[in-house]
């Protein structure tokens, strides 16, 4: 399963920690992931589903009248790798669907009652975010061309049309570094089109542009206009009257606006009824869907102070709906029924249907509760001081009974990836795996995380490796002062960017007993050279210009500060990882071993960035627990 160096503990649960019947297999078994929902007019719902029982394949499923079917071939994973992180990988037609094949990254056509066939034949290209242009019998999609050598600077992104008759491809727009989220609409003069683009060194959560125009008689884009300056725009959408809307954070919060064209300028008019909250998240993946326009209002997810809500605005008033859930994503509608993925703090994600007329909520699939309600650790939202500023976290106390309550628990600090991402208050079986064994868990939303407004997000600008590390240390100090944890037994772990912060924190403070890096960044200078196009200039924003600030890259690299780390570290790395290549982990492991630090490393030959194989995920959980137990 893995190539490993290190020793396993001689005892499965040393004194002071409880064994649990909730095993790593339980934490991962049967937990499906849902996304990319699309609803047909006949109340039929389609979605992409990650199936751990199907060798970890991701397939398209449908629901109608209580019956769930797998629509796409079960042996094919539907997955786009545009921008490496992919996202929207399929679209719905009348009696068929088009999807991106995970292996060849080509578009395939799948009739509901027939076999799938390959539509495109451009092996050097990847596709994502396909949209059906019905009047022209074609798709409009993001195309990402990878010339030989796969050098980030040579990768080309563009908008293309793809004929549904013969797979013929025509370029519609190019010239920007990145494209995302095509929206189509109609008006009296012809088809409307809008999309999001951005240029290096920006990211989709720092600054983007909204482009919009018309499709002429030949289907080409004409009369293009642009909007965007010092704001991150996302999710263009036309209403039934052909009016364009978009989400903007120019007023700190990601909120929904109508685009109003004046004779000499373009204005954004805030839709009524919104709170000071985030109505979108960072667009790491293509095709986010966090709001829908109604004839008489809107429905949208929102996020504020660590909690999510689903809001409905019409008749001049806004109300929360589906209040039993704490987070939502991937909204779609058919008639008056809203469908989405909903999560709570006590159950796995579910696909739900909400009748917007009656308010009734129906769970279609998912929503399992692997643990009794009284054994589930539910999150407590924390705000704590970091010098003259503050940061946030979700704290999960251990779920032990009286036998463990006399002593303060050890702590595991979770660090999300990104780093521009967030921890959400949802049931996470991997967190429950720790709380079931007597650990407290703190899921840190350090400065720079999403969900708290643009100002908070921008605090990480040129401060990566500083602000996030300070917040991790301040969190441990805060929990220790509140006597919620044993400050002498603190572990820190993270994947990708979270792995970088974990390693940097281990070098910056002796408050951590041990740590874990899952495909984490070790050498910032090397990352500039080896990472993919989407993030190849991200470090300009996070650290500075590598040409002029090379010393900062050197100073903040964990491999440079390896001699400051004395705590044991366990590493997990996929050998096919293109985002954080295996060489990053190899460098860090060698540096720590040279300094006599206890190290354990596990490499997985068939894994990319983020492990997909359920057996690998299970092994990682078990090995990480065993490693920490050695140091209690």
């Amino acid at each position: 399963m893995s190539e490993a160096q290190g020793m396993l503990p001689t005892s499965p649960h040393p004194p002071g920690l409880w064994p649990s019947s909730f095993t790593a297999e339980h934490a991962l078994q049967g937990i499906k992931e849902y996304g990319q929902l699309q609803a047909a007019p006949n109340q039929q719902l389609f979605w992409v589903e990650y199936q751990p029982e199907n060798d970890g394949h991701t397939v398209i499923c449908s629901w109608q009248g209580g019956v769930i079917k797998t629509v796409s071939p079960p042996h094919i994973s539907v997955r786009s790798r545009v921008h490496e992180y992919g996202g929207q990988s399929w679209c719905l037609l009348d009696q068929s669907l088009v999807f991106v094949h995970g292996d060849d990254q080509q578009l395939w056509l799948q009739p509901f009652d027939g076999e799938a066939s390959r539509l495109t034949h451009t092996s050097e290209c990847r596709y994502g975010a396909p949209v059906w242009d019905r009047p022209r019998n074609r798709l409009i999609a993001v195309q990402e061309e990878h010339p030989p050598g796969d050098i980030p600077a040579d990768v080309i992104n563009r908008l293309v049309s793809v004929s549904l008759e013969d797979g013929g491809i025509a370029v519609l727009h190019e010239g920007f570094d990145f494209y995302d989220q095509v929206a189509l609409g109609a008006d009296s003069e012809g088809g409307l089109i809008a999309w999001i683009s951005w240029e290096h060194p920006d990211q989709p959560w720092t600054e983007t542009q909204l482009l919009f125009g018309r499709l002429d008689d030949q289907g080409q884009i004409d009369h293009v206009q642009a909007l965007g300056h010092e704001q991150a725009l996302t999710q263009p959408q036309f209403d039934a009257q052909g009016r364009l809307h978009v989400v903007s954070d120019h007023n700190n919060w990601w909120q929904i606006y109508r685009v109003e064209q004046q004779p000499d300028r373009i204005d954004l008019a805030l839709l009524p009824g919104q709170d000071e909250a985030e109505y979108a998240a960072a667009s790491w993946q293509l095709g986010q869907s966090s709001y829908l326009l109604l004839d008489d209002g809107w429905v949208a997810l929102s996020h504020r102070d660590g909690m999510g809500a689903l809001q409905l605005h019409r008749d001049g008033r806004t109300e929360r709906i589906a209040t039993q859930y704490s987070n939502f994503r991937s909204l779609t509608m058919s008639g008056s029924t809203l469908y989405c993925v909903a999560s709570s703090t006590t159950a796995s994600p579910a696909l739900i249907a909400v009748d917007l007329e009656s308010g009734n909520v129906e769970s279609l699939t998912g929503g399992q509760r692997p643990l009794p309600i009284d054994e589930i650790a539910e999150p407590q939202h924390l705000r704590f001081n970091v010098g003259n500023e503050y940061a946030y976290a979700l704290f999960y106390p251990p779920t032990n009974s009286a036998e463990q309550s006399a002593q303060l628990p050890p702590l595991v600090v979770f660090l999300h990836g990104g780093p521009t991402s967030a921890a959400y208050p949802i049931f996470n079986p991997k967190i429950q795996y720790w709380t079931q064994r007597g650990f407290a868990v703190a899921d840190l939303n350090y400065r720079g995380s999403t969900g708290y407004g643009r100002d908070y997000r921008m605090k990480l600008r040129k401060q990566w490796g500083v602000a996030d590390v300070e917040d991790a240390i301040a969190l441990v100090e805060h929990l220790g002062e509140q006597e919620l944890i044993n400050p002498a037994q603190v572990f820190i772990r993270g994947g990708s960017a979270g792995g970088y912060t974990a390693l940097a924190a281990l070098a910056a403070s002796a408050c951590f007993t041990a740590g874990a890096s899952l495909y984490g960044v070790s050498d910032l200078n090397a990352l500039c050279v080896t990472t993919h196009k989407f993030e190849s200039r991200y470090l300009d924003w996070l650290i500075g210009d590598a040409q002029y600030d090379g010393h900062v890259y050197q100073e903040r690299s964990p491999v440079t500060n390896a001699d400051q780390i004395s705590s044991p570290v366990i590493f997990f790395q996929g050998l096919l990882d293109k985002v954080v290549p295996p060489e990053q982990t190899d460098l860090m492991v060698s540096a720590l071993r040279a300094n006599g630090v206890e190290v354990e490393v596990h490499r997985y030959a068939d894994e990319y960035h983020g492990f997909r194989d359920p057996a690998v995920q299970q092994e990682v959980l078990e090995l990480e627990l065993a490693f920490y137990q050695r140091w209690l």
Side-chain angles (χ1 to χ4, degrees):
M1 181 63 66
S2 69
E3 173 195 340
Q5 294 85 32
M7 298 174 59
L8 295 179
T10 56
S11 170
H13 38 268
L17 279 184
W18 270 35
S20 173
S21 59
F22 187 68
T23 64
E25 183 178 6
H26 291 138
L28 297 162
Q29 188 178 48
I31 301 297
K32 298 177 183 290
E33 296 176 11
Y34 311 103
Q36 303 180 36
L37 276 60
Q38 295 187 41
N42 61 353
Q43 300 289 318
Q44 188 173 13
L45 178 67
F46 297 81
W47 67 89
V48 168
E49 178 175 299
Y50 167 69
Q51 298 180 335
E53 77 281 4
N54 183 21
D55 294 326
H57 284 109
T58 304
V59 299
I60 299 173
C61 297
S62 71
W63 176 96
Q64 188 173 37
V67 178
I68 294 177
K69 297 179 180 179
T70 298
V71 182
S72 64
H75 62 282
I76 292 177
S77 265
V78 177
R79 186 183 184 191
S80 170
R81 290 182 55 219
V82 169
H83 303 169
E84 290 300 332
Y85 295 106
Q88 190 66 38
S89 57
W90 77 286
C91 73
L92 184 64
L93 313 182
D94 273 336
Q95 296 298 320
S96 59
L97 52 87
V98 172
F99 64 83
V100 179
H101 193 308
D103 290 340
D104 60 28
Q105 288 299 293
Q106 299 302 294
L107 291 166
W108 287 59
L109 180 63
Q110 166 79 56
F112 292 161
D113 56 357
E115 297 293 323
S117 60
R118 185 167 167 171
L119 184 63
T120 58
H121 298 269
T122 49
S123 59
E124 73 282 5
C125 295
R126 303 173 183 179
Y127 295 88
V131 175
W132 184 25
D133 184 6
R134 182 194 291 262
R136 297 164 183 83
N137 194 33
R138 66 180 186 175
L139 304 171
I140 297 178
V142 177
Q143 183 192 68
E144 184 175 87
E145 182 180 350
H146 288 250
D150 211 17
I151 299 171
D154 295 337
V155 174
I156 301 170
N157 293 73
R158 55 174 74 97
L159 285 186
V160 299
S161 66
V162 181
S163 169
L164 286 167
E165 295 180 358
D166 58 13
I169 295 173
V171 175
L172 297 181
H173 201 279
E174 59 184 347
F176 283 92
D177 287 320
F178 302 98
Y179 290 79
D180 187 13
Q181 297 178 317
V182 175
L184 299 178
D187 68 356
S188 59
E189 301 180 32
L192 299 170
I193 184 169
W195 70 92
I196 299 295
S197 283
W198 66 95
E199 299 272 29
H200 278 319
D202 286 310
Q203 296 293 116
W205 46 85
T206 60
E207 184 169 322
T208 63
Q209 291 191 51
L210 169 67
L211 285 297
F212 56 99
R214 289 190 173 89
L215 296 167
D216 63 20
D217 293 341
Q218 287 73 46
Q220 291 296 308
I221 301 174
D222 197 6
H223 301 295
V224 175
Q225 299 183 71
L227 172 68
H229 178 65
E230 294 185 352
Q231 59 184 309
L233 296 148
T234 183
Q235 296 187 64
Q237 189 176 144
F238 292 98
D239 64 16
Q241 290 76 44
R243 296 175 299 184
L244 178 59
H245 297 71
V246 71
V247 174
S248 170
D249 66 353
H250 77 277
N251 227 3
N252 187 40
W253 302 100
W254 264 316
Q255 295 177 309
I256 311 164
Y257 294 83
R258 181 180 298 121
V259 180
E260 297 186 343
Q261 299 182 57
Q262 308 296 340
D264 58 347
R265 66 184 189 278
I266 301 172
D267 291 337
L268 290 177
L270 180 68
L271 293 193
Q274 298 179 76
D275 301 324
E276 288 192 335
E278 300 276 48
Y279 288 83
S283 294
W284 281 97
Q285 295 183 309
L286 303 170
Q288 185 182 165
S289 176
S290 63
Y291 77 100
L292 297 171
L293 300 170
L294 310 176
D295 290 339
D296 56 352
W298 50 264
V299 61
L301 62 86
S302 69
H303 194 266
R304 174 101 190 246
D305 292 334
M307 294 300 293
L310 187 61
Q311 296 182 328
L312 172 64
H313 177 82
R314 60 185 175 188
D315 299 328
R317 57 190 296 266
T318 304
E319 62 177 324
R320 284 190 60 186
I321 55 178
T323 55
Q324 61 268 52
Y325 297 98
S326 58
N327 204 59
F328 305 85
R329 54 186 170 84
S330 196
L331 277 57
T332 188
M333 281 192 69
S334 178
S336 63
T337 303
L338 169 74
Y339 301 96
C340 65
V341 181
S343 301
S344 75
T345 59
T346 59
S348 62
L351 292 180
I352 66 170
V354 184
D355 187 325
L356 296 185
E357 300 302 325
S358 66
N360 290 336
V361 179
E362 179 185 2
S363 178
L364 308 181
T365 188
Q368 295 86 2
R369 186 171 290 156
L371 286 164
I373 189 70
D374 60 348
E375 293 185 20
I376 295 174
E378 295 196 49
Q380 304 168 10
H381 189 246
L382 301 179
R383 170 173 160 159
F384 56 95
N385 291 329
V386 187
N388 295 324
E389 299 193 18
Y390 52 83
Y392 301 98
L394 298 169
F395 179 70
Y396 297 80
T399 49
N400 309 52
S401 61
E403 181 176 329
Q404 188 75 359
S405 62
Q407 60 188 57
L408 295 174
L411 172 70
V412 182
V413 176
F414 274 49
L415 300 164
H416 61 69
T420 309
S421 186
Y424 293 103
I426 60 176
F427 179 85
N428 183 341
K430 294 179 182 179
I431 286 179
Q432 303 298 323
Y433 178 78
W434 296 98
T435 59
Q436 282 280 302
R437 283 161 177 77
F439 289 87
V441 171
D443 212 353
L444 177 60
N445 277 325
Y446 45 78
R447 285 169 290 171
S449 301
T450 51
Y452 300 90
R454 180 181 178 89
D455 293 345
Y456 189 78
R457 194 185 332 134
M458 297 298 285
K459 288 183 182 295
L460 201 60
R461 183 175 182 267
K462 296 192 176 181
Q463 293 299 306
W464 193 36
V466 179
D468 49 330
V469 170
E470 291 175 349
D471 294 355
I473 296 168
L475 172 62
V476 174
E477 293 173 350
H478 173 77
L479 293 173
E481 290 169 358
Q482 298 297 313
E483 297 186 347
L484 294 172
I485 58 136
N486 181 349
Q489 297 180 334
V490 177
F491 305 89
I492 189 166
R493 49 102 62 208
S496 189
Y500 165 78
T501 301
L503 293 171
L506 286 165
S509 173
C511 73
F512 302 103
T513 307
S517 170
L518 291 83
Y519 34 89
V521 176
S522 300
D523 188 332
L524 295 171
N525 280 305
L527 190 67
C528 289
V529 178
T530 59
T531 196
H532 55 110
K533 180 182 178 181
F534 181 73
E535 290 186 88
S536 61
R537 299 288 302 279
Y538 190 15
L539 292 181
D540 289 25
W541 187 84
L542 290 168
I543 304 290
D545 188 310
Q547 181 177 352
Y548 301 104
D549 301 313
H551 64 287
V552 181
Y553 281 67
Q554 186 78 6
E555 291 166 1
R556 294 191 198 170
S557 291
V559 71
T560 302
N561 301 309
D563 60 346
Q564 302 298 313
I565 297 177
S566 58
S567 301
V569 187
I570 187 169
F571 293 85
F572 301 93
Q573 178 68 49
L575 297 184
L576 300 178
D577 194 338
K578 294 292 182 64
V579 179
V580 180
E583 292 78 16
Q584 291 269 324
T585 291
D586 295 342
L587 281 170
M588 196 67 195
V589 168
S590 297
L592 290 176
R593 284 185 171 152
N595 293 328
V597 176
E598 185 87 19
V599 173
E600 191 174 308
V601 56
H602 301 268
R603 302 178 175 92
Y604 297 91
D606 299 321
E607 289 289 354
Y608 292 84
H609 192 69
F611 301 150
R612 302 287 293 178
D613 186 338
V616 170
Q617 295 181 46
Q618 177 181 330
E619 180 177 293
V620 168
L621 260 184
E622 293 171 339
L623 289 169
E624 189 178 347
L625 172 65
F627 188 75
Y628 294 169
Q629 286 176 333
R630 293 170 57 189
W631 314 107
L632 290 176

